[in-house]
Amino acid sequence: MTGTVTRVDGAAERRDGVLRIGTRGSALAVAQTTAVAQSIARATGADVELVTVTTQGDTSRESLAQLGGTGVFATALRDALSAGHVDLVVHSLKDLPTAPAPGLVIGAIPKRADARDTLCARDGLTLETLPEGARVGTGSPRRVAQLKAQRPDLDIVDLRGNVDTRLGMVASGELDAVVLAAAGLSRLGRLDAVTDYFSLSLMPTAPGQGALALEVRAGDEKGRGPIARALSAVDHVTSHASVVAERIVLAGLEAGCAAPIGATALVDDGLLFLTATVYRPDGSEHLTASHAATPDSLGAAHLVEAAHDVGDRVVAELLGAGAADLAPLGSSR
């Protein structure tokens, strides 16, 4: 029997048999958390309640660099989870610091969406056909470096705001284009705004982009309780291993979530492949390392073990080649 999904604002009182899922209140966050909640309700028959939580990243208009990185989106959600106001929280994985939060664990990674970045430009323009000096908006240091590497003539504008705000700046003529994640646009039903998809081989994205993380209190992911059943119902084994490998790059390089680093991992034909690139912030130089591992099986434990192996080897190669001289590494994770 399929359960129900409802939404409340602010703290929710515990009700027997109801699984409370914490989410940011933005349209994108609610859309992606609703999709997770519906999957859990269908698979387990549980009644699910979405609880919106306001984060500093939602209320401040400062750039992510000024706020201290994308971890500002995770703190309030984690506080609500630790305090018992919700039973689990849903994060955009690329916004989640690699340093674990005391008493909390990532319990599941649903199937990953399209990890690519896109260009949303006026008049159907692509990255190649944008005119010289075109104004392109993004708040990501990685995207800045990649854009400058491909088109040093562009005027890159630091940008904050939700998807509609950013697309509105193109529609109004304030900007010629913005760079946005394909996954977010898809979840909002706005893929019609895309004029160019960037290949992952040319412009690898942030570790974990396109993936969601379900975080719970340590211990709740074990056993046969309702939270453990919910996690098991939506965890996607190959997506989980891929993002583990990518996040090992961030952790091993001691890089913040907003560092100019791109990483792409995938499982194909029995192998786990990982490629990572570190950029100089102005896009003038970059270093790339690629490695593969052969897990003993495609089971969760063996895939995660292979992810750690391949991630460690990529980190060692990048550091040995001088990655720390290119990018601001050793920052807060």
Side-chain angles (χ1 to χ4, degrees):
M1 181 176 177
T2 302
T4 61
V5 178
T6 58
R7 180 182 172 188
V8 299
D9 292 316
E13 294 182 2
R14 178 179 293 279
R15 294 190 290 133
D16 290 343
V18 176
L19 189 67
R20 301 164 302 162
I21 304 181
T23 179
R24 291 172 54 200
S26 71
L28 176 56
V30 170
Q32 61 196 25
T33 303
T34 298
V36 170
Q38 290 172 339
S39 295
I40 290 173
R42 284 194 301 267
T44 67
D47 290 332
V48 181
E49 201 167 59
L50 268 62
V51 181
T52 56
V53 178
T54 300
T55 76
Q56 183 188 9
D58 295 316
T59 57
S60 175
R61 308 317 303 164
E62 294 181 290
S63 70
L64 290 180
Q66 290 173 314
L67 287 172
T70 50
V72 296
F73 294 122
T75 301
L77 288 171
R78 285 175 155 177
D79 288 346
L81 179 60
S82 297
H85 298 317
V86 295
D87 301 306
L88 63 91
V89 295
V90 177
H91 303 279
S92 289
L93 192 60
K94 69 183 181 64
D95 294 337
L96 195 63
T98 57
L104 304 180
V105 297
I106 295 176
I109 306 291
K111 186 175 181 179
R112 191 178 199 170
D114 190 340
R116 290 177 295 175
D117 277 332
T118 73
L119 189 76
C120 301
R122 62 174 175 84
D123 305 324
L125 292 167
T126 66
L127 182 60
E128 183 178 357
T129 61
L130 280 170
E132 183 175 351
R135 289 169 55 82
V136 180
T138 178
S140 161
R142 170 189 57 81
R143 289 169 176 160
V144 171
Q146 291 174 331
L147 289 169
K148 288 183 174 180
Q150 298 297 317
R151 289 288 307 271
D153 61 291
L154 296 177
D155 179 11
I156 311 301
V157 180
D158 187 49
L159 189 63
R160 286 294 312 280
N162 61 31
V163 168
D164 285 338
T165 297
R166 297 182 187 211
L167 291 176
M169 295 177 75
V170 177
S172 70
E174 185 175 350
L175 294 174
D176 294 294
V178 293
V179 179
L180 295 169
L185 290 169
S186 177
R187 289 164 181 151
L188 289 171
R190 295 302 311 270
L191 285 176
D192 60 300
V194 176
T195 59
D196 197 7
Y197 286 90
F198 299 156
S199 72
L200 291 173
S201 59
L202 182 65
M203 299 181 73
T205 52
Q209 183 161 309
L212 304 176
L214 276 59
E215 195 168 37
V216 298
R217 291 179 290 274
D220 285 351
E221 81 282 11
K222 301 175 182 177
R224 299 183 179 180
I227 297 175
R229 289 198 302 271
L231 297 173
S232 178
V234 298
D235 192 48
H236 190 256
V237 175
T238 54
S239 294
H240 201 144
S242 296
V243 299
V244 166
E246 293 172 9
R247 283 168 62 79
I248 285 171
V249 173
L250 272 187
L253 295 177
E254 296 187 352
C257 299
I261 294 171
T264 301
L266 58 89
V267 178
D268 184 48
D269 197 24
L271 292 175
L272 192 156
F273 298 91
L274 171 65
T275 298
T277 302
V278 178
Y279 299 87
R280 190 177 294 281
D282 64 4
S284 61
E285 293 182 74
H286 67 271
L287 290 169
T288 297
S290 299
H291 285 275
T294 306
D296 292 336
S297 75
L298 295 183
H302 288 138
L303 276 171
V304 170
E305 182 181 358
H308 280 272
D309 171 45
V310 74
D312 288 342
R313 284 190 276 131
V314 164
V315 168
E317 181 174 331
L318 287 171
L319 289 176
D325 296 327
L326 285 186
L329 306 182
S331 59
S332 171
R333 291 170 287 168

